[in-house]
Amino acid sequence: MPAHRKASIRELASVAYELDLGIAEGRVRRGAADGSWIVGDLELGAWLAKYEGQEVVLIVASLEDDRPIPVKTCRTCGTEYRGGACPRCREARIRLRGR
């Protein structure tokens, strides 16, 4: 897997952890006894039951996906980058906010 893709997925997961969102990470498999879906040690049916009746966004990202991340051009500064956000503009935002 290209390093940029894996790093972007890890960054997305980190943001989800920081927001205290529900995260399931691990290999996907079927339970031998009842055929339920399991991610790592987490049975998905029971996990999703916590969110019953709520509107949710479910994102699945494979760490084994070999597709390269396309190069994008920032609409603000024109920098070419890979990933979810322009690193040049992100650094400028951090610097201007005093962090």
Side-chain angles (χ1 to χ4, degrees):
M1 161 179 276
H4 286 292
R5 179 172 290 279
K6 197 169 196 174
S8 293
I9 292 170
R10 294 286 185 199
E11 184 178 349
L12 178 62
S14 293
V15 169
Y17 278 117
E18 288 172 8
L19 293 173
D20 197 25
L21 303 178
I23 302 292
E25 186 175 342
R27 293 236 172 244
V28 178
R29 63 184 182 359
R30 295 279 257 185
D34 59 359
S36 62
W37 288 105
I38 299 170
V39 175
D41 294 329
L42 185 66
E43 198 277 313
L44 288 182
W47 182 64
L48 288 171
K50 296 188 310 185
Y51 303 101
E52 186 173 354
Q54 299 177 36
E55 185 175 358
V56 300
V57 174
L58 183 62
I59 298 171
V60 177
S62 173
L63 292 173
E64 297 171 5
D65 188 343
D66 290 336
R67 292 177 296 158
I69 294 180
V71 175
K72 298 177 190 174
T73 302
C74 179
R75 294 182 200 171
T76 303
C77 70
T79 300
E80 290 188 347
Y81 66 96
R82 294 181 193 269
C86 171
R88 183 176 178 186
C89 289
R90 182 178 59 225
E91 289 297 321
R93 281 191 304 273
I94 291 169
R95 186 178 67 252
L96 292 172
R97 291 179 183 158
R99 294 181 188 175

